[in-house]
Structures are given as C-alpha cells and as structure tokens.
Amino acid sequence: MIKYPNGIRKNNTKCLKQSVANRGMTLEKELNLSNEYYLQANICNIHKKPTPVQIVSVDYPERSKARICEAYFKTPSTTDYNGVYRGFAIDFEAKECNCKTSFPFALIHPHQIKHLESVIFHGAIAFLIIRFTQYDETYLIDATKVCYKYHQKRRSLPYSWCQKNGYLIRRTFSPPLDYIKTVDQLLKEKENEKI
Amino acid sequence: MIKYPNGIRKNNTKCLKQSVANRGMTLEKELNLSNEYYLQANICNIHKKPTPVQIVSVDYPERSKARICEAYFKTPSTTDYNGVYRGFAIDFEAKECNCKTSFPFALIHPHQIKHLESVIFHGAIAFLIIRFTQYDETYLIDATKVCYKYHQKRRSLPYSWCQKNGYLIRRTFSPPLDYIKTVDQLLKEKENEKI
C-alpha cells in the first residue's frame, strides 16, 4: 500500500506481480548466454537456429552490402535449438508460459511435435524447456513424455504434472540457466531405464 | 565451331563448358530434396539451417501479418546442415566450386572451421560436401582431414587430394544425391580406425 500525500491510497500488488514476472531476462536470452558459455568452456556445442525468413527482394546499394527490403516470417518446421553434447545429438524447444495452472499445447506447432518424435526415433536426446513465468520456475521435460501426453488429445500439461515429470533447472550466475546439468540427470535416467 | 551465314566462325567451347556446369540442380537444391526424401522415408533427420538475418524493422499491415522491411544478412557462425542419423549427431557444410584444380579455403569462413572442430570434439560426425561443378563430381570428405589441412596454412585442397581422401557421392534419381550411403562408408571407416 502506497500512501500518497493527497490522501490517495493505491494498492500496488499488480505492479509487484509484474516485477516478479519480469525479474530476470527472457528465457531465450538466458539460453543463448548459457550456450555461449558452454561453447567457450568446451562443454557442449548447442546453437539456436536462426528464425526462418522468406526473402522476397534484396537491394544492393553497394557491391559488398546487401539490404533485404521485403521478407516474411515462415512457420518453423523444426525446434529452435539443437547441437551435440557428450556424443549425443541434442534437440529441444524452449517456451515461456504465463499461465499459473498449466502449459497449453497451443504454444507448440503440431509439426514441432512431429519433429521431436522423428529425432527421438533417430536417437537424439530431445526435450522441452518450459518456464512458468508466474513462479519464475524453469523445467526440463523429456520430449517422449510430452509427445505421449500430446497424443492423449490433452489441451495442456498441468503445472503439477510438469513439477512431477520434469526437472527443475537451477538458476546460477554464470551460465544464467545451467540446463546442461539437468540434461546429465535426464541421460542418467535414460541409462537406468535401459538396465 | 558454329558456321554463321555471314562467314563469322565462333568457337562455342565456353558455352559448352557452361552447359556442363549447369547440367543439374544446384548442390543446395539437391541436398534439400534428398533431406526431404530421407525425412519422409524415416532414414534420418537432417535440415538446412535458415540463413541468419538481422531484422531491423518490421511492418504490420494486418494484425496477423508481419512484413520485414529492413534486414541484413549476418555471417553464419555455424555450418549449414545438421541433424541426427543412427544416433549420431551429423554436422556438415556444402560448397560448390568452379575451379578445376582445387577447392580454395577462401570459400569457408574461419569460424566454420572452428565450429567443425568443436562438434568433432563433442562427438559429432562432421564432414564437407564439395562439388566440383566442372567435372560434375561431388565428394564427401571427413572434416577432421579438412581441418588438419587447413591448419597446415594451405590455401586450397587440390582436386587430386579430394579424389584420394574423399568419397564420391553417387547420383541417383530419388534422392538426387544419396549422400547418406556415403556417410555409412565414413562411419564404417571410423569404426575400423577404433579397432
């Protein structure tokens, strides 16, 4: 409660809530910084794929300089991040979700689910990184489990289900989102499953 | 030699040469079609990364439609193609070369060489696909060998060296460039090296 000099009292809970949600960087920025850190430290080689763009016209004001003057965004047919770690092909999609109770499947394109299933079939380690911005919690969830839920014609993944089936990613200073340690946990679980 | 009615005689060897060079599709088109074929046939999941573009301004004529009106090409920091095959992370760069005697290293960015070395370190299967358009021959060469040559401060890879150290990729009808069979040969060689 803020006491203004003219007697007005304003409840600033909404403002407080916002400040919690935007406490840190966006998930994409944190992942890019972490990937940069991992690359420099020789831990893994994972990159974000560039946004697919359909280029229509390009202008050449100078011989060495090209300026794209008309282009359109294309729907991505694959996930955003992929690379290699400990000999494994890594493939994942990262999503932020503002909802408190669940992660809606509407946030993932159907061909992204198809892509995840395909890379799993070919032997990649695939997962989803979901951030519940309201709680400022980020979970890494095995894509096999997510795809299974998706085909049950569910409209969303409940928050409690993510807590139970996902791994909470630890926030650190550098890298900002140390998700590769969580990938280690996932790999360990997958090895145990095989035995 | 063409005999024109007015007595002019023109040597059309240059023209002939060109027709040989442009006999087929471009390497990129062939690779994209092959990757599409492999994806549908469930053989592997390899995609071309979108061209990295720095978007400066976007116009929204309609709510659901975004039109990029100013953007610039960025230098790629990674290779063009990556994916997963038989549990292996695959990473490669494809280049066409018009020269008869050698493939100049100037066609590859230094950070692409650095990227190839990094993915090899993390356990990926990395290679270069080089097409000598003058001969209409396409070679798959292990990136380890290419990087080794690069650090010898060489300016190019001689054509004879590529013939000796690379694998000639067979041209087929569908897929147009059946390079995954050549990857099998490379994997076999790598397994034999381990024994």
Side-chain angles (χ1 to χ4, degrees), chain A residues 39 42-45 47 49-53 55 58 66-73 77-78 82-89 115 118-119 121-124, chain B residues 39 42-45 47 49-53 55 58 66-73 77-78 82-89 115 118-119 121-124:
Chain A
L39 193 69
N42 241 348
I43 294 168
C44 67
N45 187 312
H47 288 271
K49 284 187 201 169
T51 319
V53 156
I55 298 163
V58 183
R67 184 175 165 270
I68 301 160
C69 16
E70 195 183 350
Y72 297 92
F73 291 104
S77 58
T78 63
N82 74 351
V84 54
Y85 171 56
R86 278 171 50 188
F88 293 100
H115 172 78
S118 166
V119 293
F121 175 83
H122 293 295
Chain B
L39 193 69
N42 242 348
I43 293 167
C44 68
N45 188 312
H47 287 271
K49 285 187 200 169
T51 320
V53 155
I55 297 162
V58 184
R67 183 175 165 270
I68 301 159
C69 17
E70 195 185 350
Y72 298 91
F73 291 104
S77 57
T78 63
N82 74 350
V84 55
Y85 171 57
R86 280 171 49 188
F88 293 100
H115 172 78
S118 166
V119 293
F121 176 84
H122 293 296

Side-chain angles (χ1 to χ4, degrees), chain A residues 32-127:
Chain A
N32 290 348
L33 279 173
S34 302
N35 287 340
E36 189 55 40
Y37 172 91
Y38 291 145
L39 193 69
Q40 298 300 333
N42 241 348
I43 294 168
C44 67
N45 187 312
I46 294 170
H47 288 271
K48 188 185 182 290
K49 284 187 201 169
T51 319
V53 156
Q54 178 74 52
I55 298 163
V56 178
S57 78
V58 183
D59 185 28
Y60 294 90
E62 279 170 58
R63 214 187 154 204
S64 59
K65 225 175 177 181
R67 184 175 165 270
I68 301 160
C69 16
E70 195 183 350
Y72 297 92
F73 291 104
K74 282 200 282 187
T75 336
S77 58
T78 63
T79 47
D80 268 1
Y81 297 85
N82 74 351
V84 54
Y85 171 56
R86 278 171 50 188
F88 293 100
I90 303 287
D91 202 295
F92 68 95
E93 181 63 32
K95 287 284 174 208
E96 271 179 309
C97 156
N98 211 23
C99 185
K100 272 187 172 182
T101 51
S102 64
F103 170 80
F105 272 127
L107 292 177
I108 312 178
H109 291 286
H111 36 251
Q112 284 184 322
I113 293 281
K114 220 176 149 188
H115 172 78
L116 285 169
E117 285 175 322
S118 166
V119 293
I120 293 165
F121 175 83
H122 293 295
I125 301 297
F127 49 85

Side-chain angles (χ1 to χ4, degrees), chain B residues 126-144:
Chain B
F127 48 87
L128 242 77
I129 290 184
I130 298 174
R131 169 165 298 168
F132 288 92
T133 47
Q134 296 287 336
Y135 304 109
D136 199 32
E137 286 176 356
T138 315
Y139 292 92
L140 185 148
I141 311 168
D142 187 359
T144 321

